[in-house]
Amino acid sequence: MRLRINQSFLNIFFIRNLTKRDRFVSFTLMRSPGWLLLTFLPLAAAFIANGCGGGGTSGDAAPPENVSLSINGGQTYTSSKTVSLNIGATDNVAVSGYYISESPSAPLPDAAGWVDVQPSQGYNGTISYELSENYGDKQVCAWFRDSSSNVSAAASAVVNLAFVAPSVSNPNIIMVVVDTLRVDHLPVYGYSRDTSPNISTLAASSVVFSNAYSAAPWTLPSFASMLLGKFAFNHDYNTLQTQAVTEKMLPGLLQDNGYHTVSVQTNPFVPYLHGSFDEKGDFTDENIGLNDGAAANYTINWLNNWSDEKRSFFLFIGLISPHWPYKTGNGYFPYFVMDPLYTSSSQALVSFPLSNDGAITYDALPEEVQAAIGAPSNGEYYMDSRLYVAAYDSEIRYADEQIGRLISTLKSKNLYNDSVIIITSDHGENMVEHDTYFTHGDNVYNSLLRVPLLIKFPGQTSAKTVAGDVRTIDILPTALDYAGIDSGDIDGKSLLPVINDGNVDFAERPVISYLLKNLVAGTRLVSVVKDGYKLIKNPVISEFYVLAEDEDEIYNLAASKNDGVNALSEYLLQFYAY
């Protein structure tokens, strides 16, 4: 514990916030013949009320209403272990020292840790105090001692030490959703290729969620779930026939609390969802994957022209570069062809219809790549899966470049430190898993459902990793909770408690994803993850996986793990029934 003292001896009357019971006891005693017990019994009441022990002696010690303590001016949360304490004693209290502790036990008059001050009547001091380790509620107790070694009753205050403390004002919120971004293709999640240096830099001062799950494996229902905070089966945006959203989404909830909202999108499905934004930048023409730079330019220009410092904003940005078809002219493709990962990986042969505009041809390659790998063996297009993975990774790097530009602009406008910045994805991408090649939207395996999720909170300078399973439907209530806004009756839960104590209560936070197959009116698939096990169900069959042993979901153990299937089926029925 380090104490730095800024003392002033002021004759100011400080009143402790007594409970009604405290006041009753004090009043009764003052009117009774046993008034000399006035000091002792309020000490007992104080002990009951605030959990701090009474003084070590009772002779001339001050009763609780004559001493006071506040933390950070009365704040209930702090994200810093170093707090400011204001301690006081009224001018009828003789003071020669004080004692500060998180232990509720009253100190002996000669105990180590007392801080001597110039003897006086009354006291007021501001002290810098270091809270103990571990997050949670911290009760701090203060006692005063006079020159005769009488110890006062305790004053106390409670503050919650949190890695992320809720904001006292409305912060700016910037949310970037990178379409089709596999979590295991980012270095911050263990990937060997440097696909995202800007995301990695951001992660060094963010909360990184190791196991975040999307509500659906394709864009429209996933985006809708994020903006509504609902499971995909609890909203109507699961088909291509979807009408424009009329429910109040995240932008509407923020607008109700004074925010200006801006949506900048590159995926043609998302404009269904951004009608309620105050401003919209639409980059969703047929040049899919080529518009991230233009979307970033629009956003940067908007930031450079934003001048209403008294109003908070919500920027919702969608980037799409990693979406099929993968482009090879983004400037990063040659970095990943013939690199150590490329040369050490096994080649899988993939085939596409001749009409598929994503098949990579010789003419589409930069000259240095043409020289390195030669012409395709079939004379039409390349079938080596490693080439497509390299192209996919290069598209991630291009999207990451745009994120870096946005962050640089935020810093240049002095908006970075005080903003909430969220990076995530709507879904992942199959490479060659499960007999599907470089696509998504057709299953509920983790190659599509696990997504990155990073949140940088205002003032955050260090990283924290949350290992428990969470959901992208938790983003909305987290942002609102941090800003002090009620999120209403939704499926998502704020992640602030998870961040601060590290525990995920699966009874309150089920990890469920949903797919209406064929995007129109096909078979429903639903998956649930709990305690390292995963169940996939449709009306006919079940699949069961032990994720710790089978991360890629290759071995369906449903036939041999009936107990596991039944347990997860019963759990799923609490939230979803066919």
Side-chain angles (χ1 to χ4, degrees):
M1 179 180 72
R2 297 197 305 272
L3 299 178
R4 295 189 296 275
I5 306 167
N6 175 17
Q7 300 174 4
S8 62
F9 300 91
L10 303 175
N11 292 325
I12 300 177
F13 191 87
F14 287 87
I15 267 294
R16 174 177 166 267
N17 184 21
L18 296 172
T19 65
K20 291 181 179 178
R21 182 179 185 278
D22 286 335
R23 294 192 183 105
F24 176 78
V25 170
S26 298
F27 176 75
T28 302
L29 288 171
M30 284 188 290
R31 293 177 58 87
S32 72
W35 65 270
L36 290 176
L37 295 177
L38 178 62
T39 299
F40 176 76
L41 289 181
L43 296 187
F47 180 80
I48 294 170
N50 63 32
C52 295
T57 60
S58 62
D60 295 323
E65 62 264 35
N66 289 353
V67 293
S68 62
L69 167 66
S70 66
I71 303 175
N72 287 350
Q75 289 183 355
T76 55
Y77 286 91
T78 179
S79 57
S80 171
K81 290 197 300 181
T82 303
V83 294
S84 176
L85 306 182
N86 184 266
I87 58 173
T90 58
D91 58 4
N92 60 339
V93 178
V95 175
S96 65
Y98 62 80
Y99 188 97
I100 308 294
S101 177
E102 291 176 51
S103 169
S105 300
L108 295 173
D110 58 352
W114 281 94
V115 177
D116 292 327
V117 299
Q118 182 179 347
S120 67
Q121 289 297 123
Y123 182 82
N124 184 36
T126 300
I127 301 162
S128 180
Y129 178 78
E130 199 82 5
L131 297 171
S132 59
E133 299 290 338
N134 302 322
Y135 297 107
D137 285 341
K138 304 287 185 179
Q139 179 172 252
V140 181
C141 306
W143 295 263
F144 291 96
R145 180 182 66 185
D146 65 18
S147 56
S148 298
S149 296
N150 293 308
V151 178
S152 74
S156 75
V158 175
V159 69
N160 184 278
L161 176 61
F163 187 83
V164 175
S167 177
V168 295
S169 60
N170 287 349
N172 296 319
I173 302 171
I174 298 97
M175 181 173 173
V176 181
V177 182
V178 183
D179 206 304
T180 323
L181 181 56
R182 278 182 67 131
V183 66
D184 57 356
H185 278 242
L186 298 179
V188 68
Y189 289 92
Y191 197 44
S192 61
R193 275 180 174 152
D194 190 15
T195 54
S196 53
N198 293 296
I199 293 176
S200 294
T201 299
L202 181 67
S205 56
S206 299
V207 180
V208 179
F209 297 87
S210 300
N211 294 287
Y213 284 80
S214 175
W218 67 287
T219 296
L220 183 57
S222 176
F223 267 73
S225 287
M226 280 189 276
L227 292 175
L228 291 166
K230 293 183 178 182
F231 293 121
F233 52 79
N234 280 339
H235 63 64
D236 297 325
Y237 312 107
N238 288 283
T239 73
L240 294 175
Q241 285 78 27
T242 296
Q243 301 299 312
V245 175
T246 56
E247 297 179 66
K248 182 163 287 189
M249 301 186 299
L250 178 56
L253 294 169
L254 290 171
Q255 287 166 343
D256 289 346
N257 288 272
Y259 277 79
H260 185 79
T261 61
V262 182
S263 178
V264 184
Q265 299 303 322
T266 54
N267 188 305
F269 290 137
V270 182
Y272 283 114
L273 307 172
H274 76 178
S276 63
F277 284 82
D278 294 312
E279 296 183 56
K280 294 170 280 290
D282 192 339
F283 300 90
T284 60
D285 61 26
E286 67 278 4
N287 294 314
I288 189 168
L290 293 179
N291 291 330
D292 282 2
N297 291 341
Y298 178 97
T299 307
I300 290 168
N301 183 65
W302 187 90
L303 286 168
N304 284 329
N305 287 282
W306 175 252
S307 58
D308 189 350
E309 296 181 357
K310 295 182 179 180
R311 191 177 186 189
S312 300
F313 61 78
F314 171 47
L315 267 177
F316 183 56
I317 305 158
L319 302 177
I320 199 170
S321 294
H323 194 289
W324 182 274
Y326 315 140
K327 302 297 189 294
T328 58
N330 52 46
Y332 295 108
F333 180 59
Y335 297 165
F336 301 133
V337 177
M338 305 307 291
D339 71 355
L341 180 62
Y342 187 100
T343 56
S344 64
S345 297
S346 300
Q347 176 186 169
L349 296 179
V350 297
S351 59
F352 307 102
L354 289 178
S355 59
N356 192 315
D357 61 356
I360 299 176
T361 63
Y362 183 78
D363 292 339
L365 300 182
E367 291 183 1
E368 60 266 46
V369 178
Q370 290 177 338
I373 67 173
S377 58
N378 66 7
E380 296 176 344
Y381 63 88
Y382 294 94
M383 302 177 67
D384 186 344
S385 61
R386 299 175 302 173
L387 198 67
Y388 292 89
V389 174
Y392 172 78
D393 287 346
S394 75
E395 294 282 66
I396 296 175
R397 183 65 181 264
Y398 181 70
D400 179 80
E401 176 189 324
Q402 313 314 315
I403 291 172
R405 295 174 60 210
L406 294 173
I407 290 174
S408 294
T409 303
L410 291 171
K411 290 180 176 179
S412 70
K413 298 288 290 182
N414 294 320
L415 296 170
Y416 177 82
N417 288 334
D418 295 331
S419 295
V420 176
I421 301 176
I422 304 166
I423 306 290
T424 191
S425 180
D426 53 348
H427 55 76
E429 181 83 319
N430 283 317
M431 297 290 148
V432 294
E433 301 93 346
H434 309 292
D435 299 322
T436 57
Y437 301 137
F438 304 103
T439 188
H440 53 264
D442 61 347
N443 63 63
V444 288
Y445 295 115
N446 282 356
S447 54
L448 299 186
L449 297 181
R450 281 193 60 217
V451 294
L453 177 58
L454 298 82
I455 306 178
K456 184 205 79 71
F457 292 93
Q460 186 175 348
T461 58
S462 60
K464 182 179 178 68
T465 299
V466 174
D469 296 335
V470 300
R471 304 85 53 89
T472 55
I473 63 172
D474 297 328
I475 294 172
L476 178 150
T478 302
L480 295 180
D481 187 17
Y482 183 79
I485 300 171
D486 182 29
S487 56
D489 184 16
I490 58 174
D491 299 315
K493 305 288 184 182
S494 171
L495 291 168
L496 294 190
V498 176
I499 294 167
N500 289 326
D501 67 27
N503 296 316
V504 177
D505 183 353
F506 286 103
E508 298 293 331
R509 203 180 294 268
V511 179
I512 304 173
S513 303
Y514 174 83
L515 170 65
L516 189 62
K517 286 273 284 186
N518 302 323
L519 308 185
V520 180
T523 302
R524 294 166 292 160
L525 283 176
V526 63
S527 71
V528 58
V529 176
K530 187 175 186 292
D531 298 333
Y533 300 99
K534 180 173 179 179
L535 176 70
I536 299 174
K537 287 183 71 71
N538 68 32
V540 179
I541 63 171
S542 297
E543 299 178 41
F544 185 82
Y545 299 96
V546 181
L547 296 177
E549 302 171 2
D550 182 19
E551 184 179 12
D552 296 325
E553 298 164 279
I554 297 173
Y555 305 105
N556 177 12
L557 303 179
S560 60
K561 299 284 187 180
N562 288 329
D563 289 346
V565 171
N566 292 335
L568 279 185
S569 296
E570 292 177 6
Y571 175 71
L572 178 62
L573 280 173
Q574 299 177 44
F575 312 98
Y576 176 81
Y578 281 98

